Amino acid sequence: MEVTLFIGGSGTGKSYQAMQLAKSLGIRYIIDDGLLIRDNRVLGGRSAKRESSRLGAVRRAIFNDKEHCRQVRDLIESENPTKLLILGTSEKMVHTIVQQLQLPSPASTVWIDEVAAPSEIQMARRIRMKEGKHIIPVPAFQLKKDFSGFFLNPLQVLKGLGKDAAGQEGEKSVVRPTFSYLGKYTISDGVIRSLVHHALLRHTQLIPMGTTFVHNTRNGLVVELDVKAPFGIPVTRQLRLAQERIGREVENMTALHLASVNITIKKWM
């Protein structure tokens, strides 16, 4: 199976461009926002845009739910596609999807600015930010049975674009997911600190002390904390275990990316 990654930030028009890109590359199968799509038809999965929160949507899109992941993985195995296009907002996201679905290593990567003009990306961002509109590259009737948000005008692809082998024009549905009109959500530093301390106390012999700092950077969250440790423990192993467990706990529970976890031993017990 030849896996192609299609990457672009949230609201840059990936789903709008996906069908045309797939057609140009001879790809019939697409994974987008938790769905497995073949020739403009949903084969299985659950749309991330059904979720009531952005956090739930992210976790759905990366197949964090075991049953959801198993269903799509089984479908891919039974369909046995020769080519597959995976959409995502970052390299980390698409590689997580590849890993979760146990797919072959990607053969190539396409970035949104390679297929869309700057003016198109800017317009897509403006529509997403101001109107909360999202696009799903399948007809609306396939989504209505279990979609939780609002359906807006169905979007017919321009003549000649997105046509399948039967010559039918591919449809895209314009929707407003529940999470796009419930307002904004934030995750406080206190929540991150609690997750860090929980992971530390549950999986290591290290004990947090003082203030744990959480910094938001362009590359992700940076966590800095001081700890006390029992005398005589294998320090290097414990510190590496702490970094690994903290990273897993925070990323699994919040879908936020940790750039680094910096731990300093301040006291021996």
Side-chain angles (χ1 to χ4, degrees):
M1 185 193 307
E2 181 181 312
V3 176
T4 300
L5 308 179
F6 186 27
I7 304 173
S10 179
T12 54
K14 290 186 306 301
S15 294
Y16 180 82
Q17 299 285 349
M19 289 174 60
Q20 186 177 356
L21 175 62
K23 178 178 173 61
S24 68
L25 297 176
I27 300 174
R28 297 180 60 200
Y29 293 81
I30 298 174
I31 288 179
D32 183 21
D33 270 342
L35 295 173
L36 176 62
I37 301 165
R38 183 191 66 198
D39 296 335
N40 207 219
R41 177 174 176 266
V42 176
L43 292 182
R46 175 186 169 109
S47 174
K49 293 175 176 59
R50 284 184 57 188
E51 301 299 320
S52 59
S53 70
R54 293 183 186 274
L55 176 57
V58 172
R59 298 183 69 177
R60 177 68 60 184
I62 61 174
F63 298 92
N64 202 43
D65 179 83
K66 291 183 179 179
E67 179 58 29
H68 176 220
C69 182
R70 184 197 60 77
Q71 181 205 17
V72 174
R73 193 164 57 230
D74 289 348
L75 276 170
I76 293 173
E77 185 176 342
S78 64
E79 290 287 319
N80 193 26
T82 57
K83 294 183 178 181
L84 179 67
L85 182 67
I86 301 177
L87 279 61
T89 59
S90 67
E91 288 186 273
K92 180 178 177 62
M93 177 180 178
V94 288
H95 284 289
T96 297
I97 294 172
V98 169
Q99 182 178 8
Q100 293 280 71
L101 296 177
Q102 300 176 13
L103 298 171
S105 298
S108 60
T109 300
V110 179
W111 296 84
I112 185 67
D113 56 9
E114 296 178 38
V115 298
S119 59
E120 292 178 299
I121 296 174
Q122 186 178 4
M123 180 181 293
R125 286 190 184 278
R126 185 168 61 250
I127 292 173
R128 172 67 60 85
M129 294 298 294
K130 290 186 177 181
E131 303 177 34
K133 292 181 180 179
H134 295 239
I135 290 176
I136 302 177
V138 292
F141 72 86
Q142 292 199 37
L143 301 170
K144 286 185 177 179
K145 61 182 180 180
D146 58 6
F147 188 72
S148 63
F150 288 141
F151 279 85
L152 305 175
N153 53 305
L155 186 64
Q156 193 75 17
V157 181
L158 293 175
K159 187 175 182 181
L161 300 183
K163 287 190 176 183
D164 59 24
Q168 298 176 334
E169 292 184 357
E171 283 188 21
K172 300 173 185 175
S173 301
V174 184
V175 301
R176 283 192 65 191
T178 304
F179 60 76
S180 75
Y181 54 83
L182 288 179
K184 296 182 178 179
Y185 81 100
T186 58
I187 300 177
S188 72
D189 290 352
V191 171
I192 306 298
R193 293 190 192 100
S194 296
L195 291 172
V196 169
H197 294 174
H198 177 265
L200 201 69
L201 295 171
R202 182 178 181 183
H203 299 290
T204 76
Q205 296 176 269
L206 307 175
I207 300 175
M209 59 182 296
T211 303
T212 296
F213 295 96
V214 180
H215 309 288
N216 192 11
T217 72
R218 291 183 61 184
N219 296 322
L221 295 180
V222 174
V223 174
E224 297 180 345
L225 69 155
D226 297 335
V227 301
K228 52 185 177 181
F231 185 76
I233 66 168
V235 178
T236 302
R237 188 187 309 164
Q238 282 290 303
L239 291 174
R240 287 177 179 170
L241 177 62
Q243 289 177 316
E244 176 190 335
R245 294 295 183 172
I246 289 171
R248 186 180 304 173
E249 186 88 7
V250 173
E251 292 189 350
N252 284 347
M253 293 300 295
T254 68
L256 296 173
H257 172 59
L258 260 68
S260 64
V261 179
N262 305 321
I263 306 174
T264 302
I265 297 179
K266 285 286 188 177
K267 183 178 180 181
W268 296 97
M269 298 183 294

